[in-house]
Amino acid sequence: MEKSGKPRVAIIGGGISGLAAAKELRWLEPVLFEATDSIGGVWRHCSFRTTRLQTPRPDYEFSDYQWSDRNDATFPTHIEILEYLHGYATHFDLWKFIKLQTKVVEIRSIGDDRETWFTELWGDKGRTIPDQPAWEVGVVTGHSATVQWYKFEFIVMCIGKYGDIPNMPKFPPGKGAEIFRGKVMHSLDYCKLDEDATKELMKGKKVVIIGYKKSSIDLAVECAEANRGEDGQPCTMVIRTLHWTVPSYSIWGLPFFLFFSTRFSQFLHERPNQGLMKSLASHLLTPLRRGVSKFIESYLTWKLPLDKYGLKPDHPFVEDYASCQMAILPENFFAEADEGRIMFKRSSQWRFWEGGVVLDDDTKLEADVVLLATGFDGKQKLRSVLPEPYRGLIVDSSGVMPLYRGTIHPLIPHMAFVGYIESVSNLHTSELRCKWLGRLLKGHFQLPSVEAMFRQTREEIEVMKRTTRFYRRHCISTYSINHSDDMCEEMGWSPWRKGSWLSEAFSAYNNQDYKEDKSE
């Protein structure tokens, strides 16, 4: 990697965020390191046979690369999404920047950290890109154990919150998987199995699935389908925390976007730095905000057999939406439950015994296979490659990554993080932040002081805390338009992206609203 005269930029990770970063920074000829043999991130390595997108097709596309069949009302499969991402990489000639099977194992800081740490301005005297390399990146290629080192002025971390490192439950001695006679598998390992292997794993077996989010729901459906027939066994979901599930993007015949994805609907919700009058309005609109949540809950309770199976959450629907935990149900999920092939058990704690798992009321569930849909430890992925002192700065005292505009850590210079905050469409969230980052690196605007960036991130975290108990997921779905407005203003764009006040108030915002035009 010879010096080309341009600042050298590394992008780590070839998922959606990494591809968006490569496209927006292609003028810098970046180097994109992808540890596996394919781009696609979680869509390539953490998807099951039945995995589909949670978002309608037109709401999950790049602003300058539309789906060829964007009017298709079905949710795309993970295979369709991978084909779409490959088309994007080819269309924008990104393959020349991508190095597959190159795993970043370590990052080192070059120079005196004290020169850029705990200073008033971010980076080298407020400059986004320094004159000299700031980082060394250690990479292993293919099956080689030899670490090769490369120097870069700037790094964009796009390794994401999901995949790679499973979040494994911990148990006291004698109560963990070591005493279980059956097979224990995390969803990450299940993803690596082909269709025949998954059926062989579950067919005729007593399967217990730990979890009740999208992955566990998909696992339960695949387990039920594998166990159709006379020798089939029911699959049991052990649920620690209930979450609201949605059968479609329609509530009592009204399109779902009306409730959360327009300026008018988001005006009901608190936002960071909203001022005295907006704070007062937000307080006065509390009954209406709760009414919207109740309206949606009434539909879901009527439409789905939540009471029948004891699956109605105790918390309001808006808390799950505000934490990006609303799951779209597969069509046959409750049909399989009605046939007795999916069963449900509530338990705040659980542990293993020789023949299966034990719930918090000491009920013993027999099992041949225990599947752990317990999520991933994305922050540990970052800690595993970042050097000190930055490794210890990844999260603050609230357990959230303090990222200004969801991209810049105020105390980690010359590095950006894309893909670590969530919204209803994570593709949109990542792409807009990459556009913002590209203009930052071009010098179109400057970052505020470190303290000002921290004030902004603290305010966002406080808003999330007041909105949902699940705030650590760092989801901006209830104020996503306002978040985008702030970024547009910094980029010199008009924050109002539609053609009329009526559209601004009542039309859904999506990626197509953030296309660039000649005036921008």
Side-chain angles (χ1 to χ4, degrees), residues 158-398:
C158 301
I159 58 178
K161 299 166 67 173
Y162 305 109
D164 295 329
I165 299 181
N167 181 34
M168 301 297 288
K170 296 178 174 58
F171 303 93
K175 296 183 179 180
E178 71 278 0
I179 67 170
F180 177 49
R181 292 195 298 259
K183 186 175 184 62
V184 180
M185 180 178 289
H186 191 273
S187 60
L188 179 62
D189 296 311
Y190 179 90
C191 292
K192 300 173 184 177
L193 304 178
D194 60 27
E195 183 174 353
D196 291 338
T198 60
K199 290 181 178 179
E200 181 180 351
L201 174 71
M202 297 186 291
K203 185 173 179 58
K205 308 286 180 56
K206 297 175 182 177
V207 179
V208 170
I209 298 174
I210 308 297
Y212 190 65
K213 294 183 185 177
K214 180 57 178 171
S215 293
S216 54
I217 289 171
D218 285 345
L219 279 174
V221 170
E222 294 197 9
C223 179
E225 291 175 348
N227 278 284
R228 290 173 180 169
E230 295 182 359
D231 60 343
Q233 293 282 349
C235 164
T236 303
M237 300 184 74
V238 174
I239 304 168
R240 184 174 181 180
T241 303
L242 285 171
H243 294 285
W244 289 96
T245 54
V246 179
S248 67
Y249 278 94
S250 177
I251 303 295
W252 293 119
L254 298 173
F256 191 84
F257 75 80
L258 288 177
F259 301 101
F260 292 106
S261 299
T262 68
R263 284 194 183 275
F264 178 79
S265 60
Q266 292 200 357
F267 184 79
L268 302 179
H269 298 272
E270 186 178 0
R271 65 185 66 172
N273 304 313
Q274 59 188 5
L276 179 61
M277 295 303 295
K278 178 60 180 71
S279 297
L280 179 60
S282 180
H283 177 71
L284 294 175
L285 291 170
T286 297
L288 183 55
R289 186 166 60 247
R290 291 175 178 170
V292 169
S293 188
K294 289 290 185 183
F295 183 74
I296 297 173
E297 293 162 30
S298 69
Y299 172 77
L300 298 178
T301 305
W302 169 78
K303 182 71 174 178
L304 303 174
L306 302 181
D307 289 323
K308 174 182 177 181
Y309 291 111
L311 298 178
K312 183 178 179 181
D314 296 328
H315 58 267
F317 173 85
V318 69
E319 288 202 44
D320 276 343
Y321 185 85
S323 56
C324 299
Q325 295 191 103
M326 178 190 75
I328 300 293
L329 286 174
E331 291 183 3
N332 58 335
F333 178 71
F334 279 114
E336 296 288 1
D338 290 340
E339 293 293 329
R341 286 188 286 270
I342 299 177
M343 303 176 67
F344 309 98
K345 294 288 186 181
R346 294 288 309 279
S347 184
S348 60
Q349 301 291 333
W350 65 279
R351 64 185 188 277
F352 284 98
W353 66 289
E354 292 179 352
V357 301
V358 184
L359 307 184
D360 55 8
D361 62 357
D362 291 329
T363 298
K364 289 187 175 182
L365 299 180
E366 294 185 357
D368 301 305
V369 179
V370 176
L371 297 176
L372 303 175
T374 50
F376 304 91
D377 192 345
K379 291 166 184 152
Q380 182 56 36
K381 279 200 294 182
L382 287 173
R383 293 189 185 100
S384 68
V385 295
L386 286 179
E388 291 291 359
Y390 308 116
R391 183 182 304 158
L393 302 173
I394 288 298
V395 299
D396 62 14
S397 58
S398 66

Side-chain angles (χ1 to χ4, degrees), residues 10 12 104-110 134-139 149-150 155-157 159 382 384-388 390-391 415:
I12 303 177
V104 173
V105 294
E106 186 179 354
I107 297 174
R108 295 173 181 170
S109 177
I110 298 176
W135 303 102
E136 277 189 306
V137 176
V139 175
W149 291 93
Y150 304 98
I155 294 177
V156 188
M157 299 294 294
I159 58 178
L382 287 173
S384 68
V385 295
L386 286 179
E388 291 291 359
Y390 308 116
R391 183 182 304 158
M415 182 177 288

Side-chain angles (χ1 to χ4, degrees), residues 1-69:
M1 301 179 195
E2 296 296 327
K3 180 77 170 177
S4 65
K6 299 179 180 179
R8 287 170 293 192
V9 175
I11 300 170
I12 303 177
I16 285 171
S17 298
L19 294 175
K23 185 261 178 179
E24 294 299 330
L25 302 181
R26 62 190 188 280
W27 55 281
L28 285 170
E29 300 176 8
V31 179
L32 190 157
F33 296 112
E34 167 54 45
T36 70
D37 62 356
S38 172
I39 63 171
V42 294
W43 292 111
R44 174 66 176 83
H45 305 290
C46 296
S47 296
F48 309 147
R49 172 178 55 85
T50 58
T51 299
R52 285 181 174 269
L53 186 64
Q54 292 270 282
T55 309
R57 196 180 302 254
D59 294 336
Y60 198 85
E61 64 182 2
F62 294 103
S63 61
D64 47 13
Y65 187 76
Q66 295 184 350
W67 287 90
S68 59
D69 53 350

Side-chain angles (χ1 to χ4, degrees), residues 307-502:
D307 289 323
K308 174 182 177 181
Y309 291 111
L311 298 178
K312 183 178 179 181
D314 296 328
H315 58 267
F317 173 85
V318 69
E319 288 202 44
D320 276 343
Y321 185 85
S323 56
C324 299
Q325 295 191 103
M326 178 190 75
I328 300 293
L329 286 174
E331 291 183 3
N332 58 335
F333 178 71
F334 279 114
E336 296 288 1
D338 290 340
E339 293 293 329
R341 286 188 286 270
I342 299 177
M343 303 176 67
F344 309 98
K345 294 288 186 181
R346 294 288 309 279
S347 184
S348 60
Q349 301 291 333
W350 65 279
R351 64 185 188 277
F352 284 98
W353 66 289
E354 292 179 352
V357 301
V358 184
L359 307 184
D360 55 8
D361 62 357
D362 291 329
T363 298
K364 289 187 175 182
L365 299 180
E366 294 185 357
D368 301 305
V369 179
V370 176
L371 297 176
L372 303 175
T374 50
F376 304 91
D377 192 345
K379 291 166 184 152
Q380 182 56 36
K381 279 200 294 182
L382 287 173
R383 293 189 185 100
S384 68
V385 295
L386 286 179
E388 291 291 359
Y390 308 116
R391 183 182 304 158
L393 302 173
I394 288 298
V395 299
D396 62 14
S397 58
S398 66
V400 177
M401 288 182 66
L403 296 178
Y404 179 73
R405 303 300 185 225
T407 310
I408 297 296
H409 192 298
L411 294 181
I412 304 182
H414 313 304
M415 182 177 288
F417 301 81
V418 182
Y420 294 90
I421 66 170
E422 299 184 58
S423 71
V424 175
S425 174
N426 288 331
L427 184 150
H428 164 59
T429 306
S430 291
E431 187 192 27
L432 185 58
R433 275 137 199 83
C434 289
K435 290 178 182 291
W436 179 89
L437 177 63
R439 282 149 186 78
L440 174 66
L441 296 188
K442 284 181 177 179
H444 288 187
F445 64 94
Q446 291 185 325
L447 293 172
S449 69
V450 167
E451 178 53 36
M453 287 194 286
F454 268 127
R455 280 199 303 270
Q456 176 67 28
T457 60
R458 285 195 296 266
E459 177 65 16
E460 289 182 12
I461 293 169
E462 289 304 312
V463 168
M464 290 187 291
K465 283 182 177 180
R466 291 191 290 268
T467 305
T468 174
R469 70 197 69 186
F470 310 113
Y471 64 89
R472 288 186 178 86
R473 290 179 62 90
H474 203 164
C475 174
I476 60 170
S477 60
T478 57
Y479 60 92
S480 58
I481 298 175
N482 174 256
H483 204 274
S484 298
D485 288 349
D486 290 341
M487 300 181 76
C488 286
E489 289 178 352
E490 286 184 331
M491 289 190 289
W493 292 12
S494 169
W496 289 53
R497 311 296 299 172
K498 297 183 180 290
S500 69
W501 69 267
L502 194 63

Side-chain angles (χ1 to χ4, degrees), residues 41-179:
V42 294
W43 292 111
R44 174 66 176 83
H45 305 290
C46 296
S47 296
F48 309 147
R49 172 178 55 85
T50 58
T51 299
R52 285 181 174 269
L53 186 64
Q54 292 270 282
T55 309
R57 196 180 302 254
D59 294 336
Y60 198 85
E61 64 182 2
F62 294 103
S63 61
D64 47 13
Y65 187 76
Q66 295 184 350
W67 287 90
S68 59
D69 53 350
R70 68 191 309 266
N71 293 322
D72 184 347
T74 62
F75 294 100
T77 66
H78 69 283
I79 299 298
E80 291 177 286
I81 295 171
L82 287 175
E83 291 173 350
Y84 172 74
L85 295 178
H86 276 74
Y88 178 80
T90 300
H91 180 77
F92 289 107
D93 195 21
L94 303 182
W95 293 106
K96 62 186 178 183
F97 306 130
I98 298 171
K99 293 186 176 293
L100 300 175
Q101 292 186 305
T102 53
K103 182 178 181 179
V104 173
V105 294
E106 186 179 354
I107 297 174
R108 295 173 181 170
S109 177
I110 298 176
D112 190 348
D113 293 326
R114 291 171 296 182
E115 294 180 0
T116 55
W117 198 36
F118 292 133
T119 57
E120 181 180 352
L121 297 176
W122 187 81
D124 181 9
K125 299 177 182 178
R127 292 179 298 180
T128 309
I129 300 180
D131 295 330
Q132 299 296 325
W135 303 102
E136 277 189 306
V137 176
V139 175
V140 294
T141 304
H143 299 292
S144 171
T146 303
V147 179
Q148 297 175 291
W149 291 93
Y150 304 98
K151 294 181 179 181
F152 295 95
E153 278 83 358
F154 199 91
I155 294 177
V156 188
M157 299 294 294
C158 301
I159 58 178
K161 299 166 67 173
Y162 305 109
D164 295 329
I165 299 181
N167 181 34
M168 301 297 288
K170 296 178 174 58
F171 303 93
K175 296 183 179 180
E178 71 278 0
I179 67 170

